[in-house]
């Protein structure tokens, strides 16, 4: 039977930002368990589908550097005695879904350990259990036959991304030591599969998290069954030259205090296709591995992003002013799309806010994303 690690990302009670995964400045613990834009806008079909060159194998950038965004791993600890009066007191009690999943795994004979990680180093300690045997080339490589299973209890896609980011940092070889057994269209090997345990109930809002998009179970017992009896479903991963990864997608754009999108300018490229040369006013740019950012209000930005097709889908929303026969101005929204292996965004005027798998940041210089086909995997029934 398998050893299963149930990993939860926690935060210091008084830590500002609670940013595990953003510098490793918080503490941690481990406990054993049992056996232990506008509704009137009109869309145009300015699609440009491209398949371009294999930029992913040469645009890998550096593995160094954490995200500039904060809060990737905060907010996952349980409600409990948070007011004990001690500065820096931690919340160590696992949340109810974690305990229920652990009980279901234990009932099936699995040896289960629950771990609350509050730093990159503590996440890495868990991931080290998936290392394979030493290789002649000295690279750290995942064990394809590991008897250890990993379940990530995530309160957000950003938390799940924080774990995958550490997997990439652990197993991606330096460009100068690229081994012959690494697929030609990848910069990382097949990462160990992850069981996803959503800590939020099924969402009733319009935004669907990655687990919902993939049709993954949310019930703790069903998650346990998928981990023990299921099969890995391999999914594409986006890496970027800022040292991070994207599982779902990115939305680049600014808004005013009322939430109305603001114009910004930037050059947006997908392989050899140019969606904006930097002169057009843009309301938004969506970069989709999956469909979490496929819509902006009532406007469809992305068509049908597929996290298994080896391509990234990108769209920009451009307001276009026209005049009626009576000379009145009308504004419609033109959506330009393209698919390819890689994409880049270069802001022309200062910094532009963005959301990347739900984590906030600001883009002030060119950033490139590229696909890693089938690089990561989830356990499915």
């Amino acid at each position: 039977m398998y050893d299963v690690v149930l990993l939860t990302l926690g935060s210091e009670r008084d830590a500002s930002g609670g940013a595990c995964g953003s510098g490793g400045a918080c503490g941690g613990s481990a406990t054993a368990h049992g056996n232990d834009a506008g509704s009137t806008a009109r869309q145009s079909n300015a699609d440009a589908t491209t398949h371009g060159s294999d930029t992913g194998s040469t645009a890998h950038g550096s593995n160094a550097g954490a995200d500039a965004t904060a809060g990737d791993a905060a907010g996952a600890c349980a409600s409990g005695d948070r007011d004990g009066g001690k500065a820096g007191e931690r919340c160590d009690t696992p949340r109810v879904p974690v305990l229920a999943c652990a009980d279901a795994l234990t009932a099936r004979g699995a040896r289960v350990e629950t771990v609350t990680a509050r730093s990159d180093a503590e996440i890495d300690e868990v991931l080290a259990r998936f290392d394979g045997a030493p290789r002649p080339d000295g690279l750290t490589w995942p064990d394809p036959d590991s008897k250890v299973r990993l379940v990530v209890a995530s309160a957000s896609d950003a938390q799940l991304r924080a774990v995958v980011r550490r997997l990439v940092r652990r197993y991606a070889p330096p460009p100068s030591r690229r081994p012959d057994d690494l697929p030609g269209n990848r910069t990382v090997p097949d990462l160990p599969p992850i069981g996803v345990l959503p800590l939020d109930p099924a969402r009733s809002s319009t935004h669907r998290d990655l687990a919902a998009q993939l049709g993954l179970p949310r019930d703790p017992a069903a998650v346990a069954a998928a981990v023990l009896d299921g099969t890995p479903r391999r999914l594409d991963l986006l890496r970027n030259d800022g040292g991070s990864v994207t599982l779902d997608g990115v939305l680049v754009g600014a808004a005013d205090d009322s939430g109305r999108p603001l114009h910004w300018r930037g050059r947006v490229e997908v392989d050899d296709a140019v969606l904006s040369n930097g002169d057009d006013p843009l309301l938004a740019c969506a970069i989709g591995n999956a469909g979490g950012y496929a819509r902006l209000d009532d406007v469809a930005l992305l068509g049908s992003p597929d996290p298994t097709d080896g391509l990234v889908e990108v769209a920009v929303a451009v307001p276009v002013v026209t005049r009626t026969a009576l000379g009145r101005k009308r504004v419609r929204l033109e959506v330009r799309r393209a698919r390819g292996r890689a994409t880049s965004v270069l802001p022309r005027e200062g910094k532009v806010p963005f959301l990347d798998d739900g984590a906030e940041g600001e883009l002030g210089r060119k950033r490139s994303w590229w696909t890693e086909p089938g690089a990561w995997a989830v356990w499915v029934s």
Side-chain angles (χ1 to χ4, degrees), residues 70-92:
D72 277 13
C77 62
S79 61
D81 183 11
R82 293 167 171 252
D83 299 311
K86 295 180 181 180
E89 180 181 352
R90 297 170 184 167
C91 174
D92 290 334

Side-chain angles (χ1 to χ4, degrees), residues 256-267:
D256 62 17
D257 293 339
S258 300
R260 292 186 296 265
L262 299 175
H263 294 179
W264 58 281
R265 298 179 190 274
R267 183 177 180 87

Side-chain angles (χ1 to χ4, degrees), residues 262-266 276-284 316-321 332-334 336 349:
L262 299 175
H263 294 179
W264 58 281
R265 298 179 190 274
S276 173
N277 61 11
D279 295 331
D280 300 312
L282 304 178
L283 287 185
V316 295
V318 184
V320 177
V321 179
R332 66 180 178 86
L333 204 60
E334 177 180 284
R336 306 170 188 169
E349 302 166 346

Side-chain angles (χ1 to χ4, degrees), residues 48 268-270 275 285-288 301-302 312-316 335-340 342-345:
V268 181
E269 301 177 72
V270 184
L275 296 183
C285 172
I287 300 170
L301 294 178
L302 304 175
V312 58
E313 182 173 342
V314 184
V316 295
V335 178
R336 306 170 188 169
R337 301 191 187 99
R339 291 175 180 263
T343 185
S344 65
V345 178

Side-chain angles (χ1 to χ4, degrees), residues 71-161:
D72 277 13
C77 62
S79 61
D81 183 11
R82 293 167 171 252
D83 299 311
K86 295 180 181 180
E89 180 181 352
R90 297 170 184 167
C91 174
D92 290 334
T93 306
R95 288 175 62 166
V96 171
V98 176
L99 297 175
C101 187
D103 286 341
L105 290 164
T106 301
R108 292 283 307 277
R111 293 184 295 265
V112 183
E113 182 183 2
T114 61
V115 177
T116 300
R118 291 182 175 79
S119 69
D120 288 345
E122 291 174 349
I123 296 175
D124 293 345
E125 288 178 8
V126 172
L127 302 184
R129 307 182 193 198
F130 297 89
D131 291 355
R135 291 167 52 105
D137 56 16
L139 294 174
T140 302
W141 218 247
D143 181 2
D145 300 316
S146 175
K147 298 304 180 185
V148 181
R149 294 287 187 264
L150 175 63
V151 178
V152 176
S154 61
S156 66
D157 289 342
Q159 290 190 339
L160 181 61
R161 180 185 73 159

